Amino acid sequence: MSFTVPLSWYLVLSAIVFSIGVAGVLLRRNALVIFMCIEIMLSGVNLSFIAFSRFLHSMSGQIFFFFVMTVAAAEVAVGLAIILTIFRSRESVDVDEVNLLRG
Amino acid sequence: MFVILAVILVGASLMVVAQRNPVYSALFLILAFLGLAGQFVLLQAQIIAVLQVLVYAGAIMVLFLFVVMLLNVRDRQAPEAKLRWQKLFGLILTIILFGLVAVTVAGEVRLGPQGEFTPQRLAELGNAQVFGKLLFTDFLFLFEATSVLLLVAMIGAMVLARRRPLGASSPPPAASSRAD
């Protein structure tokens, strides 16, 4: 592998992945799939962290990946518990049906 | 290699959004995470790739699949979308967002001052060693704060997922013999 991939390719790939995640959050109505799409968005950001870490010769990006990953794990645990509670009370995980806060 | 892994990553991410069944979405998400781990190996962040596979593709996705199976959501179509223009506007907004980010990012990127961990130095020190040493010296406080965060999240998840709310009266003795 003599050819090194330039930084901007990684950043564009990261933007593509992030945009797919945003599209999923906006288009889907299943709360579980929305959570997966949030994970995709976090992954896109993580990719640019690691790419910058490589091209800036710094370890801070990788350390930051670790913390993003931990927060994502905590968020998934709490979020899935919330979805479980919503499912128990409404028999559905469709976010359109969770409209208790509508004025 | 970059292109192959990028195609896997983007294709699997698109399938996550496009699949109707959440189980398939979760499986494609695992594929996307594996592609991402390959990218991390290409970027010489081996320990990060290992963490990605273990924590994301392993732990988090098992949690997802478990909840998907637990909920056992029927493949039931909503009668009609309540927001008719949601899909169209969502797509337009996504494309606008991607355009803005891509235009910002695709041009010449001026990098700041370079750090001390050049690829050669990293190769002789070992990625995992440098990562661990930094995590337990410079970032020790953040590491400990993370542990508190995880503890809070764990307690919160257990409280939320309880069947009875916390202040409820204790069940009669006959019923309490059954494990909760």
Side-chain angles (χ1 to χ4, degrees), chain B residues 42-137:
Chain B
L42 285 190
L43 284 166
Q44 293 188 332
Q46 290 89 0
I47 185 69
I48 297 298
V50 171
L51 282 177
Q52 169 87 13
V53 172
L54 279 182
V55 176
Y56 268 111
I60 292 185
M61 291 320 295
V62 165
L63 199 60
F64 261 114
L65 278 176
F66 196 67
V67 172
V68 170
M69 310 266 181
L70 192 66
L71 296 189
N72 190 20
V73 182
R74 272 89 50 201
D75 197 12
R76 170 174 62 87
Q77 268 303 97
E80 81 275 7
K82 287 183 181 136
L83 303 167
R84 264 181 306 156
W85 299 100
Q86 186 185 15
K87 287 218 182 325
L88 182 64
F89 275 123
L91 269 182
I92 291 174
L93 286 176
T94 308
I95 291 169
I96 290 175
L97 175 76
F98 172 69
L100 286 177
V101 176
V103 164
T104 313
V105 133
E108 186 70 23
V109 181
R110 284 196 301 274
L111 289 176
Q114 306 237 320
E116 51 177 328
F117 296 104
T118 58
Q120 294 79 25
R121 179 123 187 277
L122 214 53
E124 66 188 50
L125 284 178
N127 177 246
Q129 279 89 337
V130 173
F131 183 80
K133 198 170 280 177
L134 271 180
L135 193 59
F136 290 116
T137 53

Side-chain angles (χ1 to χ4, degrees), chain A residues 10-11 13 16 19 26-30 39 43 54-57 59 62 67 70 72 84-85 87-88, chain B residues 2 17 19 33 36 39 43 56 71 81 86-87 94 98 105 114-115 117 119 127 134 146 160-161 163:
Chain A
Y10 281 107
L11 295 184
L13 177 63
I16 291 173
S19 301
L26 290 178
L27 298 183
R28 294 301 301 263
R29 270 193 240 90
N30 188 332
E39 294 299 312
S43 304
R54 166 77 171 76
F55 284 89
L56 283 175
H57 300 165
M59 285 297 281
Q62 302 190 16
F67 292 118
T70 321
L84 212 60
T85 317
F87 183 76
R88 276 205 199 116
Chain B
F2 169 83
V17 179
Q19 280 293 330
F33 283 155
L36 196 62
Q39 296 280 8
L43 284 166
Y56 268 111
L71 296 189
Q86 186 185 15
K87 287 218 182 325
T94 308
F98 172 69
V105 133
Q114 306 237 320
F117 296 104
N127 177 246
L134 271 180
T146 306
L160 279 172
R163 283 202 184 273

